[in-house]
Amino acid sequence: MLNKQQTQEAIAIMGEMFPDAHGELIHENSFQLLIAVILSAQATDVSVNKATPALFAAYPDPTALAQAPLDDIIAKIKTIGLYRNKAKNIKACAEKLLREFGGKVPHTREELMSLPGVGRKTANVVLGDAFKIPAIAVDTHVERVSKRLRICKQKASVLEVEETLMKKLPQDSWVTAHHRMIFFGRYHCLARSPKCEGCPLLFMCKDGQIRLGIKAT
Ligand code: SF4
């Protein structure tokens, strides 16, 4: 397992590879980010970014989205996976924002997670990217990269991955580290074909060394 220092070194190297790592969902404010992140569950950011410009042009704020006909929301997001459920969730989310939060996106994980369609990962993305509140959102890339690099245990749950990363990284680096890990996983340490050959992290990556036959399993 990588210790604290090695984990921080790995994140620093990812930062050299992807100095501009950032959230890729198009949005103009915290409300639009919240909706985009809900839509991105089990879908790619690219597919969400294709649909949201028309959605946000028609329904730019909670009031407009809460009043929108469900069929029209469905029509605007139907290129995104699980669109029927997501359409219901984002409309219900806008309604709850108006009803309970004065139309504003709340700033705590607990309040965010009380919104329809919002789980811990979505809440963490919004905390970090909309409000600069330290949080690590563990998506498929963060989980895979953490496990391949042996930052956490192979059998760790998503919550355990998040807790391990929080222990091994300084709090003020959480949001940046999360973006670096996503870029690293999305563009380099890919799920099916990681670019192990020439990977700057190969020296500390047992998984990569096994893949390249440098180390026995
Ligand atoms: Fe990923 Fe391979 Fe690099 Fe390890 S060596 S971090 S598995 S790309």
Side-chain angles (χ1 to χ4, degrees), residues 148-149 184 188-189 194-196 199 201-202 205 207-208 211:
R148 280 187 178 159
L149 279 166
F184 184 73
H188 184 89
C189 188
K195 301 173 184 173
C196 302
C199 175
L201 289 169
L202 181 60
C205 179
D207 200 281
R211 280 168 195 275

Side-chain angles (χ1 to χ4, degrees), residues 55 58-59 68-77:
L55 179 73
Y59 310 117
L70 186 60
D71 284 348
D72 194 51
I73 300 176
I74 288 174
K76 286 192 164 50
I77 66 165

Side-chain angles (χ1 to χ4, degrees), residues 73-200:
I73 300 176
I74 288 174
K76 286 192 164 50
I77 66 165
K78 73 177 185 192
T79 50
I80 305 173
L82 309 174
Y83 62 94
R84 282 184 196 282
N85 252 338
K86 288 177 181 175
K88 279 186 211 150
N89 277 338
I90 62 173
K91 183 173 165 70
C93 179
E95 288 165 356
K96 186 158 182 175
L97 286 177
L98 290 176
R99 204 170 53 238
E100 294 185 22
F101 297 103
K104 300 259 187 285
V105 178
H107 284 50
T108 69
R109 183 182 292 122
E110 196 182 8
E111 288 171 316
L112 283 163
M113 286 177 68
S114 75
L115 297 166
V118 179
R120 189 175 175 97
K121 186 192 76 165
T122 299
N124 283 351
V125 173
V126 174
L127 288 175
D129 285 350
F131 305 128
K132 309 291 175 232
I133 295 171
I136 299 178
V138 178
D139 72 350
T140 179
H141 301 298
V142 174
E143 180 177 2
R144 183 177 67 255
V145 167
S146 298
K147 290 184 176 174
R148 280 187 178 159
L149 279 166
R150 311 291 204 263
I151 292 171
C152 64
K153 293 185 184 140
Q154 298 305 297
K155 286 189 181 161
S157 65
V158 170
L159 183 58
E160 285 166 343
V161 174
E162 182 185 326
E163 287 168 348
T164 305
L165 287 168
M166 290 194 295
K167 270 188 216 144
K168 293 190 173 177
L169 296 170
Q171 199 175 19
D172 62 3
S173 76
W174 289 355
V175 175
T176 312
H178 144 255
H179 287 309
R180 287 179 182 175
M181 293 179 90
I182 289 176
F183 266 56
F184 184 73
R186 189 176 281 160
Y187 302 114
H188 184 89
C189 188
L190 287 77
R192 287 198 194 148
S193 48
K195 301 173 184 173
C196 302
E197 225 161 305
C199 175

Side-chain angles (χ1 to χ4, degrees), residues 2 6 9-11 13-14 17 145 149 184 188 196 198-206 209:
L2 298 194
Q6 291 166 320
E9 188 185 351
I11 301 296
I13 292 171
M14 289 177 206
M17 295 171 75
V145 167
L149 279 166
F184 184 73
H188 184 89
C196 302
C199 175
L201 289 169
L202 181 60
F203 74 98
M204 62 163 74
C205 179
K206 194 172 164 209
Q209 291 165 11

